[in-house]
Amino acid sequence: MKILETQDLKKYYGSGANQVKALDGVTLSVEEGELVAVVGASGSGKSTLLHMLGGLDYPTSGKVLVGGKDIFQLNETELTIFRRRKIGFVFQSYNLVPILNVYENIVLPVELDGRKPDKNFVEDVLQTLGIAGKRNNLPSQLSGGQQQRVAIARALVSKPNIILADEPTGNLDSRATLEVLGLLKLTGERFHQTIVIITHNEALAQLCDRVIHVEDGKIVGGVPDEK
């Protein structure tokens, strides 16, 4: 079943001779439960694609469908709520709040949504990611790998359908990189989530279910032919 789909997605900046086509007619689909890597060089459009998939930026034209819903037909408030509840984000920079401890950082998105965290589920995520013993630590007291685990946990606790990860291992060494990918795969399977990883790391990408290659705003490989 398709959980995520784009149709002729375009994002242009500027006009005339100065126009930049960050995305130039991208059509793809991701199946429910799939772990997909989107690979491309710097400036290829892969991060722009992730921002579109997550509703963080609006396209020039085209559609993004999540569970069959065209997210850009929602108004700004509806899109914010939809994004908060249906899509989890993991960024290279972690984006943890320095004055909050691990547990507080993890449950923050749920609380901002006016809901109470599912304490049993949070505990399950903490145990699965191996950071239960760090719940009272501040981000500054954690290693890079541990901070990334907290960022993954924060993305999971809203129980989103989709996790979008933008260069989630970019600041980590090779051992921690494989560890984080293993954790993403584990949590995806355990919590029934679809994961899209943006990366320039080909070796990392090859460990995913499918690799989509992006070049100059276009997909150049990794999308099955329509039957």
Side-chain angles (χ1 to χ4, degrees):
M1 174 183 170
K2 292 179 184 177
I3 186 69
L4 182 60
E5 187 177 1
T6 71
Q7 296 176 359
D8 198 24
L9 195 63
K10 297 178 181 179
K11 181 64 175 182
Y12 295 170
Y13 297 97
S15 60
N18 296 320
Q19 188 175 71
V20 175
K21 297 181 178 181
L23 293 178
D24 194 17
V26 171
T27 296
L28 61 81
S29 63
V30 178
E31 296 293 315
E32 190 172 13
E34 208 175 4
L35 173 59
V36 176
V38 178
V39 177
S42 179
S44 62
K46 61 186 189 299
S47 289
T48 302
L49 176 59
L50 179 132
H51 290 160
M52 297 294 147
L53 295 177
L56 295 174
D57 194 8
Y58 286 83
T60 301
S61 63
K63 294 182 179 181
V64 173
L65 306 174
V66 177
K69 181 189 291 288
D70 183 351
I71 65 173
F72 295 117
Q73 292 297 310
L74 302 173
N75 64 39
E76 193 168 329
T77 300
E78 291 170 337
L79 179 58
T80 298
I81 294 171
F82 183 85
R83 188 171 55 229
R84 192 186 294 150
R85 296 179 180 178
K86 300 296 184 182
I87 301 173
F89 296 93
V90 181
F91 297 104
Q92 180 177 348
S93 57
Y94 315 139
N95 293 341
L96 303 181
V97 180
I99 61 172
L100 300 182
N101 65 28
V102 164
Y103 185 88
E104 291 165 338
N105 264 285
I106 289 171
V107 301
L108 182 61
V110 177
E111 292 178 338
L112 289 174
D113 195 35
R115 295 180 290 149
K116 290 185 177 181
D118 180 337
K119 292 184 178 180
N120 291 332
F121 183 67
V122 174
E123 186 62 33
D124 194 8
V125 170
L126 285 166
Q127 293 291 343
T128 299
L129 292 172
I131 51 175
K134 302 290 185 180
R135 71 182 71 230
N136 295 317
N137 289 59
L138 294 173
S140 61
Q141 298 171 313
L142 305 176
S143 69
Q146 289 169 336
Q147 290 186 57
Q148 192 58 290
R149 288 170 182 240
V150 176
I152 293 169
R154 182 182 56 194
L156 289 169
V157 295
S158 295
K159 302 180 183 178
N161 300 104
I162 301 165
I163 300 289
L164 300 177
D166 191 1
E167 298 283 6
T169 61
N171 292 326
L172 306 177
D173 59 30
S174 56
R175 179 178 177 180
T177 291
L178 291 175
E179 183 180 80
V180 167
L181 179 64
L183 289 169
L184 283 169
K185 293 180 77 167
L186 174 64
T187 55
E189 293 168 0
R190 182 175 177 83
F191 302 120
H192 311 293
Q193 283 156 331
T194 304
I195 302 173
V196 179
I197 298 175
I198 302 295
T199 184
H200 66 275
N201 188 329
E202 285 278 1
L204 176 73
Q206 293 303 322
L207 299 173
C208 297
D209 298 332
R210 180 160 56 101
V211 182
I212 296 173
H213 290 272
V214 178
E215 185 177 306
D216 296 329
K218 295 178 180 289
I219 292 179
V220 295
V223 178
D225 293 331
E226 294 289 340
K227 295 183 178 178

